Amino acid sequence: MRASARKKMYFYNYIPKEMKPILTLIMLLISAPMFAQQNNTDMIVQEGKMLYRSEMASWNGTDLMLEKFKGADLEKIGGYFSYEKNSNEINCVFFNRDAVPKIIFAVTFDSTLEIVNARVNNEERAATKLELEYYAIRQTTLELVSSDSFFLHYKNTSLNIIPIIHNKTKKVYVLTGPKENGAVLIGNDYLLTFDDKGLLLEKKRLHKNLIPIGYAEKDKEVVATMHSHLPETGDYITATDICTLMLYEKVARWKQHYVISANYVSIWDCYRNQLYVLTKEAWEKIGTKP
């Protein structure tokens, strides 16, 4: 991997301890005009939670796969991806290295995504039409990530590929994940869109930089953390931000996370997994400007 020589970061930090949490105020003001933009973020939240479910299924599915495949058998695995079967189930499938891949290990999770409730199927089978569509856009992305300088690789990180097919739209998100514990990584993320035949239409960098935010101590809860968005990233929290926060918020013991842009402040409630959005003007009026 090649580490980026440039360290131009978005602003990020812990909210000072002495700053009073504003969640109660937010709840009191939730019907006020300053929250008129909430509807604009519904799709972002939906997509962020979809990414989270996919990635969590992949994490837990990999744990189960590693219990069965060891040594030389592990070489049979050509890769994996997760996809939602319906609103109550999500599959994580592992395919072999054949030119037309077969599914050699599959895990079905219910809405809890917990391993204890998972159903495992280790019988080899042909991939379904939908699974082959997921495989195709995943492999295209994997080849690009490996060869295209558009994708940045940082030391002690990996680029995680999350394909999504939803409402006849094919997308692949690429997130940067840590290889070592101790920090949540925001940014260095990408969105690739494909046509219905799986041909690449567009690749987009979401955050231009990597934003590491260290964990708190195990016995310490952090009131809030934050990072800021440059104009090209957009006014609101991104789906990848939400996915990353949901993956790490419990181990990091964060209560809230703030995303500051030029026009809005997105507030992610890590306990309720809900988003509140204020205008920048309203944020400053209630005295929360850092």
Side-chain angles (χ1 to χ4, degrees), residues 149-163:
S149 60
F150 180 77
F151 299 91
L152 300 180
H153 298 259
Y154 290 79
K155 186 177 180 181
N156 296 323
T157 70
S158 60
L159 291 180
N160 301 327
I161 297 171
I162 309 177

Side-chain angles (χ1 to χ4, degrees), residues 37 40-41 44 229 233-238 259 261 264 266 277:
Q37 295 298 325
N40 295 343
T41 58
I44 296 174
H229 279 176
T233 302
D235 275 332
Y236 308 115
I237 194 170
T238 65
V259 179
S261 71
Y264 295 95
S266 300
V277 179

Side-chain angles (χ1 to χ4, degrees), residues 133-148:
E133 290 179 1
Y134 269 90
Y135 171 81
I137 60 176
R138 179 198 182 276
Q139 293 303 102
T140 296
T141 302
L142 180 62
E143 292 170 8
L144 285 171
V145 165
S146 302
S147 61
D148 192 336

Side-chain angles (χ1 to χ4, degrees), residues 215-230:
Y215 291 359
E217 295 86 354
K218 290 183 180 179
D219 59 346
K220 179 182 177 183
E221 232 176 22
V222 173
V223 171
T225 51
M226 67 186 296
H227 75 276
S228 65
H229 279 176
L230 297 175

Side-chain angles (χ1 to χ4, degrees), residues 184 214-217 220-222 248-254:
V184 176
Y215 291 359
E217 295 86 354
K220 179 182 177 183
E221 232 176 22
V222 173
Y248 292 98
E249 61 197 13
K250 289 183 176 61
V251 66
R253 295 173 60 81
W254 294 348

Side-chain angles (χ1 to χ4, degrees), residues 21-89:
I22 64 168
L23 188 56
T24 301
L25 179 58
I26 290 170
M27 298 304 292
L28 290 173
L29 297 175
I30 197 165
S31 61
M34 68 180 70
F35 288 91
Q37 295 298 325
Q38 192 74 43
N39 290 337
N40 295 343
T41 58
D42 286 347
M43 290 184 63
I44 296 174
V45 173
Q46 180 185 16
E47 193 114 307
K49 290 184 176 181
M50 192 182 303
L51 290 176
Y52 162 75
R53 290 192 297 271
S54 178
E55 192 71 342
M56 182 56 72
S58 293
W59 283 12
N60 290 341
T62 299
D63 288 343
L64 290 169
M65 182 274 293
L66 290 173
E67 291 179 5
K68 175 174 176 55
F69 291 84
K70 301 181 186 298
D73 286 341
L74 202 55
E75 295 299 317
K76 298 176 182 177
I77 302 293
Y80 65 90
F81 54 84
S82 294
Y83 65 96
E84 295 203 35
K85 187 174 182 180
N86 53 54
S87 59
N88 296 314
E89 290 186 341

